[in-house]
Amino acid sequence: MTETEVLRVLETALLCTDAPLPMAQLRNLFEDTISGDDIRRHLAALQLDWQDRGLELVQLSSGWRFQSRPDMQRYLGRLNPEKPPRYSRAVLETLAIIAWRQPVTRGDIEDIRGVTVSAQIIRTLEDRGWIEVLGYRDAPGRPALLGTTRRFLDDLGLRALDELPELDADDSVQALETLALTASGADSQAELEPDADDPKPDEAQQAPEASSP
């Protein structure tokens, strides 16, 4: 198979898939007759071929995919004018704490936010596919340890947790609003709406510390 044919196969598969393709699936396209290093070389060539187009080829946590560039979003949004899902500040704060401080228990999150975290908030994040149970703490009641998922990283357009930006404590929620949930690879954007679990403005609240996972 010539290099041109390999590029055509990779390009077609990546454009037609609904989800990122991991290296194992990309190699399976050629029945493992092409090495992983050669596949990566061809992927790099595809990235160069598409560098001046509206789509870009990116590597994410769960594999490779084509996605629209950020500057195309305002045009694509006109094709689907429906309002995106709305997430309360309580949901985004909880997600920020889990992302930057994981693994954490629900009790840890409550200690940081200074308010009770409702089961509905955790369920919302689980249903969205952004968090999961990583294990259980060796403590009374064996509380679940929560962490983010590959889907969360994919929606941020990241390959690994260490690519999360280093932030000041007050910036983590803003980062999720402006960076993560509006990334070109995400299929929805977050909008803030009031939530009963949000602390009152005059209540002391400790924001999640920004630290490398």
Side-chain angles (χ1 to χ4, degrees):
M1 182 175 286
T2 67
E3 182 169 344
T4 299
E5 290 173 330
V6 172
L7 289 173
R8 288 183 63 193
V9 171
L10 288 173
E11 184 179 60
T12 301
L14 289 164
L15 286 172
C16 293
T17 186
D18 293 330
L21 293 179
M23 183 58 62
Q25 288 188 351
L26 292 175
R27 291 191 62 186
N28 191 50
L29 292 170
F30 309 97
E31 297 182 328
D32 286 333
T33 59
I34 299 180
S35 69
D37 288 341
D38 284 339
I39 294 289
R40 292 184 186 90
R41 179 171 57 83
H42 291 307
L43 291 170
L46 275 180
Q47 286 179 313
L48 289 176
D49 288 343
W50 285 78
Q51 64 181 351
D52 296 323
R53 306 189 194 183
L55 294 178
E56 60 181 342
L57 178 61
V58 298
Q59 183 181 9
L60 304 173
S61 172
S62 56
W64 292 78
R65 76 174 175 199
F66 276 103
Q67 64 185 36
S68 59
R69 295 184 185 275
D71 60 346
M72 293 291 103
Q73 290 306 296
R74 63 191 181 101
Y75 302 105
L76 296 177
R78 297 168 188 168
L79 297 176
N80 184 21
E82 296 181 4
K83 285 190 174 182
R86 297 178 64 86
Y87 299 99
S88 70
R89 185 171 186 84
V91 170
L92 291 183
E93 285 180 351
T94 300
L95 179 58
I97 292 169
I98 295 172
W100 270 270
R101 298 288 296 274
Q102 62 186 301
V104 292
T105 67
R106 185 169 161 184
D108 295 333
I109 300 168
E110 292 176 343
D111 289 341
I112 293 171
R113 290 196 65 228
V115 293
T116 300
V117 176
S118 71
Q120 181 58 43
I121 289 177
I122 301 299
R123 189 177 304 114
T124 294
L125 295 173
E126 289 177 330
D127 290 346
R128 187 61 179 79
W130 283 331
I131 68 169
E132 63 183 349
V133 175
L134 302 179
Y136 297 88
R137 178 170 292 170
D138 188 12
R142 292 185 58 80
L145 290 166
L146 303 172
T148 52
T149 63
R150 286 184 177 271
R151 171 69 180 275
F152 172 76
L153 290 174
D154 287 348
D155 283 355
L156 264 69
L158 303 178
R159 289 175 292 180
L161 286 171
D162 58 13
E163 292 184 357
L164 282 171
E166 294 185 5
L167 304 172
D168 292 332
D170 295 334
D171 291 340
S172 55
V173 173
Q174 181 180 358
L176 290 175
E177 295 171 32
T178 60
L179 169 66
L181 304 180
T182 60
S184 57
D187 56 13
S188 66
Q189 295 179 343
E191 294 183 356
L192 284 176
E193 66 180 0
D195 188 280
D197 289 333
D198 281 337
K200 297 176 182 177
D202 58 346
E203 288 180 344
Q205 175 182 340
Q206 179 183 355
E209 297 178 2
S211 60
S212 299

